[in-house]
Amino acid sequence: MKQLYDVVVVGAGFAGLYMLFRLRGLGLSARVYEAGDGVGGTWYWNRYPGARCDVESMDYSYSFSDELQQEWHWTERYASQPEILRYINHVADRFDLCRDIQLSTRVTEAVFDEDTARWTIRTDRGDEVSAGFCVMATGCLSEPQLPPPFPGIEAFEGSWYHTGRWPHEGVDFTGQRVAVIGTGSSAIQSIPLIAKQAKHLTVFQRTPNYSIPAHNAPLDPEYERQVKASYIDFRQAARQSRIGFAVPVTETPALSVSAEEREREYQARWQRGGLGFGFSFPDLLIDEQANETAAEFFRNKISSIVQDPEVAETLAPRGYPLGTKRMCVDSDYYSTFNRDNIALVDLRKTPIETITSRGLRTTENEYEVDAIVFAIGYDAMTGALSRINLRGRGGIALRDKWRDGPQYLRLAVAGFPNVFMITGPGSPSVLSNMIVSIEQHVDWIADCIADLMERGGRTIEATPEAEEGWVAHVNEVGNKTLYPRANSWYMGANISGKPRIFMPYIGGVPMNLALRRHQPSLRLRRRRTTPTATSPRNTTRSDLIGRFWDDTAFERRVVPEDQHENGREEREERDDQQPSAEPAGRVLQVPHRVGRCKAGQIADRVDQCDAAGGGRTAEERGRQCPEQRPDRKHPDRSDAEYRHLVHRVREVG
Ligand code: N01
């Protein structure tokens, strides 16, 4: 007999672990399947030299437990992979999560049964279980581009590695001739360390990147003390920023200030280091000319660091706007090209023809090497999801539905009831601090499941119209920016044959946050209850969700269990997309206003949410952030300052 669970979670990285924590809190049974031999997701696999997070460590951590965030101590401004992995394991142990996690197990298939409205999940180890809900915590950058797409790879007699599948025991390149292919974040972090160890390193670059110094250092104890003393404010600011961590912003467009003033701003941000550079001016991602001023600043920096002018010119990014491929954050990347044991090959001039038994051959030269490091990235955002044979209503496969590009409603896909995707396509995810987005999505999903159960419903899913509208909105907002100008993995351009669509949502974290903020707490009732009609005086959390979804191009329906004998009624409801006058809990169908949701409105909405009150986690709800309480303004921050943190979103809109 199949083991029954309320929820199956796929993946035990940051998202899967917190999802499990929340499900436990609701009293639900859950099973987490993880392909790795340990928890940690990205941070379990990415063990290449120099791997570290380019979001600062005080920001890149869970906020759901005050005890956890107070007791954990980060040692550096930017945490290294081993330290982040230690943190994740600490969280797993501290909250006793491992007993519900099955490691070394890859979910291969999940199939929806319309009669029972349950999912059958199968794994590569022969498990076959049944669950009411499936949560995909599969990560955005977890499906490495493997095997490397170069002919002749099987003939290579040396060793080769992909940065995203690095050997746990590490690799000693001492005395070796090494090739690194790729110059994205993984390469830019590993190249300085490999160059120090190897006898010789050749870097094969197809597209030069914009990389800014990290200025990494031991964590300043005074900064740590300050953050720990005001964590609620700190997290609040992160959630209200478009990218999930607060950075100083300027309101004045780049071209409306003098060249000297622009230079001063760029220089100050270069000096501080990190991804905040992208926020030097509000128009950098929407105005090509403004962007060019920042790009030129980078090129000048590169030529001032790299001594050989020809190498400097090869490293100088041109032809696509700064920030439209993921910016990199490095330690000594450009200066590494001043070493005498490193060479740079420009693949735009001399592409790789083949890997040979002794190295690789470009259209111009043959390079003999002992080891090749493929830092060539991932089938991003959709790769891991498409790899699972996920079959929804009528047996439709997700990978078929997504053949021409992902269709989604931020957390859900039409035709796939009770499946949620954490930080999937169409969400701010990879454009944000992942932990902030993850917590927001997980909280929403947990509350939604609890709500559905409370209302006696059995399935919830996106409607095709709302899904279509959301995809159109994501594209519309994305197309107002310069992002589509680059051949980036955001666009799926790095994978041959992948549809070219801007996959993440540029509207920012606050929009999703606003969804969350409108939800008062809810206790799961274990027995089914008779749904009651809503009234303004007796507003339930679902109504609030519904209303907000209305405002944000979402639509949801709840179909009660007793109407769900064989899914017939639900299919019928699906065919009728008119707003329903059904009482809440029976069928909740909210009219959607697709396309009207402008980024500016999103920001305004967030301000309103603050006024509406409502904390975020159970602990925070208990304590209530001062900004959210009309009677207690925070003494150190004005409303204007907080509004300031809801930056850039208006400009993008
Ligand atoms: O992968 P990438 P990554 N022939 O796709 C090149 C996150 N991350 O692993 O630009 C030749 O960025 C490709 O060239 P091009 C972060 O979000 C975070 O480095 O496509 N070259 C590019 O140079 C990041 O963006 C952190 O022309 C080929 C490189 O390989 C994301 O993960 C650290 C090629 C791939 O770069 C992915 O980063 C690391 C081919 N056939 C990663 N195919 C931190 O938090 C690809 N390339 C610090």
Side-chain angles (χ1 to χ4, degrees):
M1 210 179 83
K2 270 187 242 169
Q3 179 75 42
L4 302 181
Y5 296 103
D6 291 321
V7 186
V8 156
V9 179
V10 187
F14 270 103
L17 292 186
Y18 181 45
M19 191 73 244
L20 175 59
F21 175 84
R22 284 297 320 269
L23 293 170
R24 284 242 192 102
L26 293 170
L28 298 174
S29 64
R31 186 72 164 168
V32 181
Y33 292 107
E34 165 56 53
D37 299 337
V39 300
T42 287
W43 301 105
Y44 172 84
W45 297 106
N46 278 267
R47 299 169 188 241
Y48 60 82
R52 68 175 68 245
C53 187
D54 53 15
V55 173
E56 295 190 24
S57 48
M58 294 304 284
D59 290 279
Y60 195 79
S61 53
Y62 287 121
S63 71
F64 69 84
S65 159
D66 194 43
E67 293 74 18
L68 172 67
Q69 63 185 7
Q70 290 298 337
E71 77 198 7
W72 186 261
H73 165 66
W74 296 105
T75 62
E76 295 177 272
R77 178 177 169 192
Y78 295 95
S80 66
Q81 175 272 333
E83 188 167 33
I84 298 173
L85 192 57
R86 272 200 301 282
Y87 171 75
I88 297 175
N89 277 292
H90 169 76
V91 172
D93 292 343
R94 194 187 190 290
F95 298 101
D96 187 25
L97 298 176
C98 292
R99 67 186 151 89
D100 290 324
I101 301 173
Q102 185 171 321
L103 297 172
S104 318
T105 307
R106 185 175 285 280
V107 168
T108 53
E109 185 170 271
V111 179
F112 185 64
D113 179 338
E114 303 206 26
D115 291 336
T116 59
R118 291 183 69 85
W119 287 86
T120 298
I121 292 104
R122 298 188 181 88
T123 76
D124 63 353
R125 289 180 59 178
D127 304 278
E128 183 176 314
V129 301
S130 167
F133 297 86
C134 271
V135 180
M136 299 296 165
T138 41
C140 296
L141 293 156
S142 50
E143 193 59 41
Q145 200 180 171
L146 280 173
F150 300 97
I153 180 75
E154 62 294 334
F156 183 56
E157 287 168 3
S159 317
W160 65 264
Y161 313 92
H162 188 292
T163 45
R165 289 289 178 273
W166 203 257
H168 288 198
E169 62 281 11
V171 180
D172 185 357
F173 290 116
T174 307
Q176 294 193 11
R177 297 160 303 169
V178 182
V180 171
I181 301 178
T183 48
S185 294
S186 305
I188 280 176
Q189 288 187 330
S190 56
I191 282 168
L193 293 167
I194 295 175
K196 271 189 196 152
Q197 197 178 54
K199 184 171 157 205
H200 189 270
L201 171 64
T202 311
V203 175
F204 294 84
Q205 170 190 274
R206 187 163 70 179
T207 311
N209 231 315
Y210 295 91
S211 187
I212 187 160
H215 300 308
N216 190 30
L219 186 65
D220 175 1
E222 178 51 23
Y223 174 66
E224 181 183 13
R225 195 196 59 71
Q226 278 175 15
V227 171
K228 286 189 170 177
S230 59
Y231 247 132
I232 292 181
D233 289 356
F234 184 78
R235 301 298 194 187
Q236 171 91 336
R239 289 179 206 120
Q240 289 191 327
S241 74
R242 177 164 66 80
I243 53 170
F245 57 95
V247 289
V249 295
T250 350
E251 293 294 343
T252 332
L255 299 179
S256 67
V257 301
S258 67
E260 292 72 32
E261 211 170 310
R262 275 199 302 273
E263 186 75 9
R264 260 199 308 280
E265 186 66 31
Y266 292 147
Q267 181 58 33
R269 290 185 188 252
W270 180 275
Q271 214 50 49
R272 187 177 192 284
L275 295 169
F277 187 93
F279 293 83
S280 307
F281 294 100
D283 46 351
L284 290 189
L285 278 172
I286 48 177
D287 182 323
E288 207 161 351
Q289 256 185 298
N291 191 289
E292 183 55 21
T293 64
E296 188 60 16
F297 175 86
F298 263 73
R299 291 191 285 265
N300 289 338
K301 279 290 178 198
I302 294 166
S303 63
S304 73
I305 300 168
V306 179
Q307 289 154 5
D308 181 332
E310 208 179 313
V311 176
E313 185 49 33
T314 306
L315 288 168
R318 291 183 196 280
Y320 70 97
L322 174 143
T324 54
K325 282 164 97 81
R326 175 65 144 65
M327 258 178 71
C328 303
V329 180
D330 72 88
S331 296
D332 304 327
Y333 175 62
Y334 292 118
S335 61
T336 295
F337 287 90
N338 294 332
R339 297 176 65 95
D340 54 15
N341 69 335
I342 190 167
L344 179 65
V345 175
D346 186 346
L347 295 180
R348 290 168 306 180
K349 291 183 182 157
T350 60
I352 294 171
E353 276 185 344
T354 185
I355 307 288
T356 66
S357 60
R358 294 202 270 175
L360 42 89
R361 193 171 65 233
T362 66
T363 49
E364 193 177 69
N365 264 323
E366 182 128 11
Y367 298 85
E368 284 194 10
V369 292
D370 305 301
I372 304 177
V373 174
F374 293 99
I376 55 174
Y378 297 85
D379 183 354
M381 307 210 70
T382 53
L385 290 164
S386 301
R387 185 169 166 175
I388 298 169
N389 183 21
L390 193 62
R391 290 191 178 268
R393 289 190 191 284
I396 184 169
L398 185 76
R399 61 172 77 109
D400 290 338
K401 177 167 174 163
W402 283 9
R403 204 168 288 285
D404 297 326
Q407 297 164 53
Y408 42 76
L409 186 56
R410 191 150 47 185
L411 296 167
V413 178
F416 294 79
N418 291 4
V419 171
F420 297 104
M421 294 166 182
I422 301 173
T423 62
S427 76
S429 58
V430 290
L431 301 176
S432 73
N433 176 353
M434 287 299 286
I435 313 286
V436 173
S437 285
I438 282 169
E439 286 193 328
Q440 185 189 81
H441 286 195
V442 167
D443 285 341
W444 195 93
I445 292 165
D447 287 358
C448 180
I449 292 175
D451 175 58
L452 184 72
M453 290 184 159
E454 187 191 56
R455 289 149 79 69
R458 202 159 65 155
T459 62
I460 183 165
E461 67 185 291
T463 63
E465 282 76 8
E467 180 178 84
E468 208 176 290
W470 182 249
V471 174
H473 172 65
V474 169
N475 287 325
E476 184 198 342
V477 184
N479 287 336
K480 286 181 177 170
T481 71
L482 301 175
Y483 276 105
R485 306 273 179 93
N487 289 324
S488 65
W489 58 257
Y490 296 139
M491 299 289 299
N494 63 329
I495 300 292
S496 157
K498 195 165 173 172
R500 209 187 149 106
I501 288 172
F502 184 63
M503 292 182 284
Y505 177 52
I506 185 66
V509 171
M511 181 170 173
N512 282 353
L513 177 67
L515 279 168
R516 165 75 196 157
R517 288 267 186 72
H518 273 84
Q519 301 164 33
S521 66
L522 176 88
R523 216 160 349 113
L524 173 70
R525 288 195 209 137
R526 304 290 282 162
R527 256 182 275 137
R528 213 181 323 148
T529 55
T530 312
T532 53
T534 55
S535 75
R537 287 171 60 84
N538 182 25
T539 305
T540 70
R541 190 169 56 92
S542 310
D543 304 320
L544 293 166
I545 297 170
R547 254 186 246 150
F548 201 77
W549 279 24
D550 176 27
D551 285 347
T552 53
F554 270 77
E555 184 165 352
R556 65 180 246 139
R557 293 168 312 127
V558 176
V559 178
E561 202 162 346
D562 53 7
Q563 288 190 6
H564 211 302
E565 286 311 305
N566 54 15
R568 199 173 125 256
E569 286 81 358
E570 184 158 16
R571 278 198 298 277
E572 283 170 5
E573 291 296 345
R574 216 151 48 114
D575 291 336
D576 170 21
Q577 296 302 331
Q578 293 310 306
S580 166
E582 293 282 347
R586 190 140 181 271
V587 175
L588 176 68
Q589 195 163 31
V590 193
H592 60 283
R593 294 187 306 217
V594 169
R596 287 188 210 160
C597 176
K598 291 279 186 288
Q601 292 170 344
I602 298 164
D604 292 338
R605 176 67 53 176
V606 174
D607 294 343
Q608 288 160 22
C609 292
D610 288 344
R616 191 175 162 286
T617 64
E619 290 130 341
E620 286 181 16
R621 264 186 229 119
R623 281 180 284 156
Q624 288 256 311
C625 178
E627 280 70 34
Q628 294 172 338
R629 292 175 53 165
D631 57 331
R632 263 186 58 195
K633 285 273 175 211
H634 192 279
D636 300 324
R637 284 185 199 255
S638 67
D639 286 347
E641 270 180 279
Y642 269 103
R643 265 194 293 280
H644 204 54
L645 294 166
V646 190
H647 48 72
R648 293 303 73 80
V649 178
R650 287 184 177 86
E651 278 72 21
V652 172

